Amino acid sequence: MIGKVGRNDPCPCGSGRKYKKCCMEKNQRISLESAGEEPRLTREGEDEFEGWEKEDRDGGSSLDEVLAGEDAGEIESPAAPEDIMNTHGRVFFPTPDPNLPKLPAGEQSLVDQWCEESEPLFRNMQVDPLIAHILSFLESQPKLFVHLGLEFEMLFEIGAELGRRREWSRYAELLRRIRRECPEMYQRSFAYYEWDLIVETLAEGREEPLSEYFSFFHQYPDSQPDYAGRVADLLAWVGRQEELLAFIRPIAYPIWHSPDIGSGWFLIRWLVVEKYLPFLEGEADLDRASRDVFVALQQMKIGGRVAQNRDEVRHHLQACRQTPEFVEAEKLRSKSELVQHYIDINWNFSAYLHRRRGFPWVRSFFLAYELHQYWMAKLSHGKPKDIFWLKERTLDSYIARNCRELFYIEGVSMAALLEAAWHFADYLTEHFRLPPEERDHFHAVCQNLFRRCLKGMDSTDPLQRLRPPGFVL
């Protein structure tokens, strides 16, 4: 059973890699897949609140359990919308070739000798002599270097150790050299390393374009969907709008149509956002804008994940321009009414973050989307006293169950949620829905949760050295 596999155990798929560096994130994404979809309204007769009179409650895991290394149990997710069938048939895309030619005995002996010499260095994690040993073989035997198989475990562990030492730039330098001089090895586990280099490039403020590290994702579009999603989330979180869209465009449809991926909404949703972007500033005529956006959405041919008519598009654009009326919990009769209210507020809150906080649209949408997912995950908790769930205990439980990678807090999703909650408290205060003293208390709650989460993150997490512009925590 996959839930019993340890982070450092051999992966059950038989690849020879550790579970954490192979199928762990894929298995987690399968569990989280429904949480990545924008919910549609439920069918008539099926949307009444079950147990509407029950008190709202929190249960399950907490951050204290995560920080103690305990299992959080099943991932909590909102209900998945109806599946979209792949009408384009079974499609296959290229993947890195895992096979290497058999070496002559003499050359294989050189590889075996290197591995034997490196084994004690690796076992005791003597990073300095180990890196020197790697580079020496790269320089003396460049054609044999790929046969060392460093991409399956050794490079990962070197990165983790250098992360613990806070020597991330040194690890990035090693990766860049291997990428440049032995791309055949690099591409076999490219997603992990491109992720590290994108993070380090952002953290260092290097002038080199991030697109340099998109090429393998584009060449093998559906081979690493988990890391493609992580890169997209990272770029959205730091507000790199043009680079996000440049990264997404060549891979969104292959991932959407891949027979091996349950749903590609986590990427293609950004192409949906792109259709709205030219009309979000409030200058275009609403009727014309809604028509143009609707036509563009229909041309995407992705079915029920997008607005189904011009009126729905117009409603989205109108919500960006005019704050919807806030609805009290006792006046909501069904889940569908609450979901629609969440959607309306989500659009308006995105516009608030863009206009009042100066965030790029993709950063605004990403923060609002993370908050929306938090709300949707709470729909099964009975009648809400506070429909926006601005409570420490609820946030604590949600982060422990959803913003994590097995034993670690996942920094980007955690920080984005807490940022969004912080700004949403300001949003409610500006609209006279939350007293200033309660807002200030909730800000302190968000800061406290953030400080606690920092203790539960992996040494290689981007939040260890990266903050987006306008970060408040």
Side-chain angles (χ1 to χ4, degrees), residues 101-383:
K102 186 175 181 179
L103 292 175
E107 294 180 344
Q108 185 62 53
S109 177
L110 292 174
V111 171
D112 293 342
Q113 180 182 350
W114 184 93
C115 293
E116 183 178 346
E117 293 170 351
S118 66
E119 196 278 332
L121 300 177
F122 180 55
R123 184 178 64 250
N124 299 311
M125 197 43 64
Q126 296 176 258
V127 171
D128 295 336
L130 184 57
I131 291 177
H133 196 48
I134 290 171
L135 295 180
S136 175
F137 197 84
L138 177 61
E139 294 166 359
S140 63
Q141 301 292 339
K143 294 182 179 179
L144 299 181
F145 189 74
V146 66
H147 291 269
L148 299 181
L150 305 182
E151 72 276 15
F152 292 131
E153 181 176 9
M154 186 174 291
L155 287 179
F156 295 127
E157 298 304 328
I158 290 174
E161 177 61 24
L162 290 176
R164 285 186 284 271
R165 297 183 182 187
R166 308 185 75 82
E167 297 180 12
W168 297 291
S169 60
R170 189 178 174 198
Y171 181 54
E173 182 182 354
L174 175 63
L175 292 182
R176 289 188 182 102
R177 181 164 179 184
I178 294 175
R179 188 183 195 273
R180 182 174 60 252
E181 298 182 27
C182 191
E184 186 181 4
M185 171 188 284
Y186 186 93
Q187 70 180 6
R188 288 151 65 87
S189 293
F190 72 88
Y192 309 103
Y193 306 132
E194 299 289 51
W195 162 259
D196 288 328
L197 289 178
I198 289 170
V199 169
E200 191 59 24
T201 299
L202 289 169
E204 291 179 346
R206 295 171 67 98
E207 295 183 0
E208 64 189 70
L210 291 176
S211 57
E212 177 182 351
Y213 305 115
F214 298 168
S215 58
F216 287 124
F217 284 104
H218 293 171
Q219 185 176 349
Y220 307 113
D222 71 334
S223 65
Q224 293 288 346
D226 306 305
Y227 270 84
R230 292 184 70 183
V231 170
D233 287 352
L234 176 66
L235 295 176
W237 181 56
V238 297
R240 302 293 281 260
Q241 186 160 298
E242 293 306 317
E243 286 157 312
L244 168 65
L245 296 174
F247 175 73
I248 292 294
R249 290 184 189 114
I251 63 176
Y253 280 101
I255 287 179
W256 178 260
H257 294 303
S258 173
D260 300 319
I261 300 171
S263 170
W265 177 252
F266 64 97
L267 289 183
I268 211 165
R269 66 188 173 101
W270 290 113
L271 298 188
V272 173
V273 168
E274 185 182 23
K275 308 305 181 188
Y276 283 87
L277 287 177
F279 306 99
L280 292 177
E281 296 297 343
E283 299 176 358
D285 175 76
L286 270 179
D287 291 329
R288 180 176 179 180
S290 59
R291 180 199 65 197
D292 292 349
V293 173
F294 180 67
V295 169
L297 293 176
Q298 292 304 297
Q299 290 173 346
M300 292 180 70
K301 298 180 179 180
I302 59 174
R305 295 294 203 273
V306 297
Q308 297 301 293
N309 53 62
R310 286 174 56 180
D311 288 341
E312 192 173 350
V313 174
R314 194 181 195 281
H315 190 76
H316 295 160
L317 295 173
Q318 182 65 40
C320 281
R321 301 182 185 187
Q322 182 177 339
T323 304
E325 180 181 355
F326 290 89
V327 180
E328 301 297 337
E330 59 269 17
K331 295 181 180 179
L332 293 166
R333 297 168 298 176
S334 65
K335 287 184 178 180
S336 64
E337 287 187 4
L338 180 54
V339 169
Q340 186 59 57
H341 190 50
Y342 283 155
I343 292 172
D344 293 344
I345 294 295
N346 188 262
W347 279 93
N348 189 254
F349 181 52
S350 298
Y352 168 87
L353 291 173
H354 175 71
R355 293 169 185 146
R356 297 281 288 159
R357 296 294 180 259
F359 295 164
W361 276 110
V362 294
R363 174 159 158 74
S364 299
F365 274 114
F366 182 63
L367 296 189
Y369 186 79
E370 291 298 303
L371 188 61
H372 180 80
Q373 294 304 99
Y374 168 64
W375 294 337
M376 290 301 298
K378 295 300 173 185
L379 283 181
S380 62
H381 283 220
K383 183 178 181 178

